[in-house]
Amino acid sequence: MAEESVDRSEGFGERLLGLLLDRARLMPPQLIAPLVAEEVVRIGGRDVSILLQDYAQELLVPLPGRKLHVGEPQPVVGSPAGRAFLRADVVEVPQAQGGVRMYLPLLDGSDEVGVMAVTLDAVGDDDRRLLRRLAGLVADMLVTKNAYTDQFFLARRREPMSVSAEIQWSLLPPLSMSVPQVEVAGALEPAYRLAGDSFDYALNDNILHVAVIDAMGHGLNAAAMATIAIGAYRHARRVFVSLAEKYAYMDDAISRQFGPDHFVTAQLMHLNIATGELELVNAGHPAPLLIRDGQVVRQMESATTLPVGFGGEQPRTRQHLLQPGDRVLCYTDGIIEEHIAGEEPFGEERLIQCVNRLAEETSGGVRADVPRLSHTLKTERGGTTSDDATLFMIEWHGGVADHLAVLD
């Protein structure tokens, strides 16, 4: 469609978005993406693709559907679609045959669903503004419709998934979250055979609540324990109790359900995102690492209590004070205990070396850095992940006063 024949006025854009929203409300999930492709034609767009992140966080895979352009999966690292995804920003690529291929991140709040790609003959500011809004609406619709279809899950799944992994993925919150004061992201391996590792977080007023857990064993038993532990944690979090009391809720639930021979290690945190004050309870878990100016400066020690399920005494809470820009890296023992071809365990020192080395490269924020670190560690372990290996990172950007400009 020729540029001069396309109405790109503000009023037209509002009408297009309103029409799309009205039509999508009662539309079956499998018709959402084709509807988007149909509406994009109205602004002169063509070759519309909806790309979703696969579960291993390595590829952006095309969602199939009528009227959609379905090409090959795009690597998260090293492709224009991947750059848009990792930067959460629009990437424009001029095409040899004419026109511009635009890659727009699909952001639902601060959670990133994937990327929408579309080609236009020419791109102006009105097009960019309208397509950003359209991408936001598409992300909202995909998240909403995902609750009652398997279509998007099947597109993201690149290999068979175990039952325990199905349970764990359904338990997880979004893999990343970003607000002006704080950013978080997590990565889990092996993506299609997860069992006992999990994490959870919630931002309630100025307090970021975080739990990283590792249930003993493998398979369904570990997945069941992790489910009970996270369920007890969420219940405790929602009745507004202290970290020590959260530990007690989880401990009671695991011991009652599984008996005295089963346990879950856990890292529980409260971070005041206005002040940087962090409270930590460690229940038999590897100590998190404090990263400052891109380098690991120390372990964040705390008085370690017994793992959840062993009926330990009330744990002591350790206080830490973060500086703006500090990162806190939590990990499970599968990261450091992997044996490589009969060698010694991978170990914490090699983990720290990988973290420090990665910092020498350009950082894309924790949303980009955590999957990259996870993939690097897997490569360093010879591509082997015999036990769950989970990373969860927090980056504190500073308090409210440091970010008033963002809200202006």
Side-chain angles (χ1 to χ4, degrees):
M1 186 179 295
E3 181 185 4
E4 58 269 19
S5 66
V6 179
D7 183 351
R8 292 184 171 94
S9 66
E10 188 75 16
F12 173 79
E14 291 179 0
R15 290 195 301 273
L16 186 148
L17 296 176
L19 176 65
L20 181 61
L21 187 58
D22 288 342
R23 293 181 64 187
R25 186 171 59 88
L26 297 176
M27 186 162 286
Q30 70 271 16
L31 296 183
I32 289 296
L35 172 62
V36 171
E38 177 184 313
E39 296 301 327
V40 167
V41 172
R42 294 174 181 264
I43 59 168
R46 62 182 183 275
D47 297 335
V48 179
S49 296
I50 304 295
L51 304 166
L52 305 179
Q53 182 181 223
D54 78 321
Y55 282 97
Q57 296 180 269
E58 296 175 343
L59 296 171
L60 291 164
V61 295
L63 188 64
R66 186 171 52 87
K67 300 183 181 181
L68 288 173
H69 175 71
V70 181
E72 293 297 317
Q74 301 295 304
V76 171
V77 177
S79 70
R83 289 201 303 275
F85 183 80
L86 293 176
R87 297 174 184 173
D89 200 3
V90 179
V91 172
E92 300 180 12
V93 181
Q95 302 295 287
Q97 65 274 25
V100 178
R101 187 72 169 163
M102 297 186 68
Y103 299 89
L104 301 108
L106 297 173
L107 291 165
D108 175 55
S110 63
D111 178 31
E112 195 161 9
V113 179
V115 172
M116 182 175 74
V118 58
T119 300
L120 296 175
D121 289 332
V123 181
D125 289 341
D126 288 343
D127 302 303
R128 295 182 179 95
R129 184 163 45 249
L130 176 56
L131 286 171
R132 283 180 183 273
R133 292 173 178 174
L134 177 61
L137 179 56
V138 171
D140 288 343
M141 290 191 297
L142 290 174
V143 170
T144 301
K145 300 293 184 179
N146 183 62
Y148 48 89
T149 184
D150 291 326
Q151 182 189 16
F152 309 140
F153 168 86
L154 294 172
R156 296 176 60 198
R157 188 181 66 184
R158 304 298 296 166
E159 60 182 80
M161 184 176 283
S162 68
V163 175
S164 59
E166 295 261 13
I167 292 171
Q168 290 299 73
W169 279 109
S170 67
L171 187 67
L172 286 169
L175 293 179
S176 63
M177 179 198 73
S178 179
V179 297
Q181 296 93 341
V182 71
E183 188 176 357
V184 304
L188 303 96
E189 289 283 355
Y192 297 96
R193 299 185 306 281
L194 283 173
D197 280 13
S198 192
F199 61 79
D200 196 41
Y201 63 85
L203 181 59
N204 296 327
D205 295 324
N206 279 339
I207 304 300
L208 175 69
H209 304 253
V210 173
V212 180
I213 69 163
D214 181 1
M216 67 168 285
H218 302 279
L220 281 174
N221 283 341
M225 257 192 295
T227 301
I228 296 293
I230 292 294
Y233 169 75
R234 287 175 177 166
H235 172 73
R237 187 181 73 211
R238 291 163 183 168
V239 295
F240 307 106
V241 298
S242 68
L243 279 182
E245 290 171 304
K246 286 176 181 174
Y247 168 85
Y249 270 81
M250 296 168 69
D251 184 76
D252 182 67
I254 294 298
S255 62
R256 284 177 179 270
Q257 186 67 30
F258 297 99
D261 298 328
H262 293 74
F263 65 89
V264 176
T265 68
Q267 197 79 254
L268 306 178
M269 298 182 185
H270 286 170
L271 172 62
N272 187 318
I273 65 169
T275 65
E277 296 171 291
L278 185 143
E279 296 179 282
L280 171 64
V281 163
N282 187 343
H285 207 79
L289 303 176
L290 176 63
I291 304 168
R292 181 168 292 161
D293 298 324
Q295 300 293 296
V296 176
V297 294
R298 66 172 185 272
Q299 286 185 326
M300 301 184 74
E301 297 291 353
S302 61
T304 303
T305 190
L306 289 174
V308 170
F310 279 168
E313 297 179 357
Q314 179 171 320
R316 285 180 289 172
T317 302
R318 179 69 181 268
Q319 310 285 334
H320 297 271
L321 183 61
L322 302 185
Q323 298 179 12
D326 280 356
R327 290 179 166 186
V328 177
L329 177 63
C330 302
Y331 59 94
T332 58
D333 60 13
I335 294 283
I336 58 175
E337 293 183 357
E338 187 71 57
H339 287 72
I340 307 170
E343 297 179 9
E344 292 294 313
F346 187 79
E348 187 181 84
E349 281 304 313
R350 292 178 72 175
L351 167 61
I352 292 173
Q353 290 170 11
C354 286
V355 172
N356 292 343
R357 188 171 70 245
L358 222 59
E360 298 172 1
E361 305 173 16
T362 302
S363 173
V366 300
R367 176 190 280 122
D369 290 352
V370 168
R372 189 164 52 129
L373 176 59
S374 180
H375 298 154
T376 298
L377 290 169
K378 183 177 179 180
T379 300
E380 290 281 325
R381 298 192 304 268
T384 301
T385 307
S386 59
D387 190 12
D388 291 358
T390 295
L391 299 172
F392 187 83
M393 186 180 286
I394 305 166
E395 181 174 348
W396 185 58
H397 297 156
V400 175
D402 300 302
H403 295 279
L404 289 178
V406 176
L407 304 177
D408 287 345

